[in-house]
Amino acid sequence: MKNLIFIYGGDAFRAVEYVKFLKARFNEKNKGLFNLTEFDLEERNDFKPVVVNIATMPFLATTRLIVVKHALRAKDAPVEQIISAIKGAQNTVVIFFERGEPDKRTKLYKYLAQNAVKKEFKELGQWQMKEWVKKQFSQEGKTIDPQALEYLVAVKQGKISKILPEIKKLIFVSQPIISLSVVKKLVTPSYEDKLYEIYDSFLSGSQTSEILKKIDRIKLTQSEFFVWGTMVNLFRNLLLIANEPNKNPSVLQKRLGISYFLAQKASHLTQSFSQLGGYYQALLDYDVKVKTGKIELSLALDLAVCKFCALEPV
């Protein structure tokens, strides 16, 4: 059905942007917002106005646009009424939008999967993300140095929502080629970015001294307790990941509720479950010693980094 569109996927940013694009195109053709209505059923589980609006004729126009968000998450969806309204609405375009992976067991999903024009936005892999970034610069007549590209994607955790604002800033640089020095000068890592820098250090085979230097930089603006808590949480997640039989990043992200960046990095773990289990226990032992005043937290951080770097790959 051309008047029924289903947009979903793990890359919520691109999915949302696509919905915005369709709305803007509709407004441009129809010169006004009288025939555009949106419903977010995650905030308010009320299908009655949705069904009524789908069935309503356009006002002084040939087409209406109805955007229905998170209908598959809502409880007690009157699927038969929705389907009936859609079938009878020849002059209405209905967009169903789901953030993330939809529940494929629901009756509404099965109907949309069979009848709607589907647009899935999957999380971009590392190579795809880099190609996407290069394309954004190319559209503005710019190119980005490979090292600068690596740094930009890494420091912003491979998240389009974080990378795009930086691209919009970097395109105003006068040079045609965006260098690493320019990116480091203009792209300031946020607090969250710095924590992911630690994650990346542990998961990319960095040397002990390199990890300690990064932690020291973060400690200039953040408390040692928060850095320590972040490390303990990281290795708790790594322990869960190591015990998972399927290391596909998308599967790990969904099953464990972790970020795609961490899932992608951790999917290449070289340490065994038993090694990480022993290491996580060591972190807990250090934590007890810190809380009982036997060692300082700064020493615990140093010992933890050294102990991790001493783990042998399997």
Side-chain angles (χ1 to χ4, degrees):
M1 297 174 65
K2 293 182 179 180
N3 67 326
L4 182 60
I5 302 171
F6 184 26
I7 300 169
Y8 62 98
D11 193 336
F13 181 82
R14 287 194 302 139
V16 169
E17 288 299 305
Y18 187 64
V19 173
K20 290 180 180 177
F21 164 75
L22 293 179
K23 286 162 53 180
R25 191 169 67 176
F26 175 84
N27 288 333
E28 185 179 343
K29 290 182 178 180
N30 291 273
K31 308 299 180 184
L33 301 175
F34 296 111
N35 292 293
L36 170 59
T37 311
E38 291 188 66
F39 299 94
D40 192 337
L41 298 177
E42 190 172 43
E43 298 175 356
R44 186 180 179 185
N45 187 9
D46 186 1
F47 281 90
K48 186 176 180 179
V50 175
V51 175
V52 170
N53 272 271
I54 291 174
T56 301
M57 292 293 291
F59 178 71
L60 299 177
T62 57
T63 312
R64 282 176 58 80
L65 176 62
I66 310 294
V67 180
V68 186
K69 300 178 179 178
H70 309 120
L72 275 70
R73 299 185 188 184
K75 297 178 180 179
D76 305 319
V79 179
E80 296 300 335
Q81 292 182 39
I82 294 172
I83 293 174
S84 178
I86 291 172
K87 287 182 176 179
Q90 299 300 319
N91 298 315
T92 299
V93 176
V94 185
I95 296 175
F96 281 89
F97 167 76
E98 290 291 322
R99 189 185 302 273
E101 291 297 323
D103 186 346
K104 298 181 180 180
R105 299 168 298 178
T106 65
K107 189 174 181 179
L108 182 55
Y109 171 83
K110 291 175 182 178
Y111 175 76
L112 293 173
Q114 291 177 2
N115 297 279
V117 176
K118 298 185 292 297
K119 184 74 173 179
E120 181 180 5
F121 289 89
K122 295 181 179 180
E123 289 273 7
L124 297 179
Q126 192 172 29
W127 176 82
Q128 293 171 311
M129 174 61 68
K130 291 175 183 176
E131 289 299 310
W132 181 87
V133 173
K134 288 194 289 185
K135 183 179 178 181
Q136 303 310 305
F137 280 110
S138 177
Q139 289 174 347
E140 300 294 334
K142 302 277 186 179
T143 57
I144 182 168
D145 176 84
Q147 287 184 310
L149 176 62
E150 288 280 351
Y151 178 82
L152 177 61
V153 172
V155 82
K156 292 301 172 182
Q157 307 142 43
K159 293 183 179 180
I160 292 180
S161 58
K162 287 174 169 280
I163 294 173
L164 190 57
E166 302 300 339
I167 292 175
K168 291 180 178 179
K169 183 166 59 178
L170 289 165
I171 60 175
F172 289 103
V173 173
S174 58
Q175 297 96 321
I177 301 176
I178 309 299
S179 65
L180 176 61
S181 61
V182 168
V183 174
K184 284 188 173 182
K185 182 178 179 180
L186 297 180
V187 178
T188 304
S190 67
Y191 168 61
E192 184 185 10
D193 296 333
K194 291 180 180 179
L195 294 180
Y196 274 86
E197 189 177 11
I198 293 180
Y199 289 7
D200 192 46
S201 297
F202 279 107
L203 298 172
S204 299
S206 298
Q207 298 297 316
T208 305
S209 59
E210 184 181 345
I211 300 175
L212 289 173
K213 285 179 182 178
K214 290 181 177 180
I215 290 177
D216 285 340
R217 287 200 300 269
I218 294 174
K219 282 160 55 179
L220 294 175
T221 56
Q222 306 298 334
S223 72
E224 289 181 333
F225 285 100
F226 198 93
V227 175
W228 177 254
T230 301
M231 284 178 57
V232 171
N233 184 59
L234 166 64
F235 283 98
R236 176 182 175 277
N237 283 326
L238 293 183
L239 193 59
L240 294 173
I241 291 168
N243 197 39
E244 285 290 325
N246 189 338
K247 296 296 192 294
N248 180 281
S250 296
V251 174
L252 292 174
Q253 181 188 27
K254 188 173 182 179
R255 283 181 59 83
L256 303 178
I258 60 178
S259 71
Y260 187 80
F261 173 85
L262 179 55
Q264 190 178 48
K265 284 288 184 181
S267 63
H268 303 292
L269 276 173
T270 59
Q271 287 78 27
S272 67
F273 178 80
S274 59
Q275 283 180 310
L276 290 170
Y279 180 76
Y280 185 64
Q281 184 58 54
L283 287 181
L284 298 181
D285 292 341
Y286 291 146
D287 191 61
V288 171
K289 290 180 180 179
V290 170
K291 290 175 179 175
T292 55
K294 292 183 179 179
I295 61 174
E296 295 292 326
L297 182 55
S298 57
L299 177 59
L301 283 167
D302 292 349
L303 290 172
V305 173
C306 293
K307 190 173 185 66
F308 176 77
C309 291
L311 294 178
E312 290 292 332
V314 293

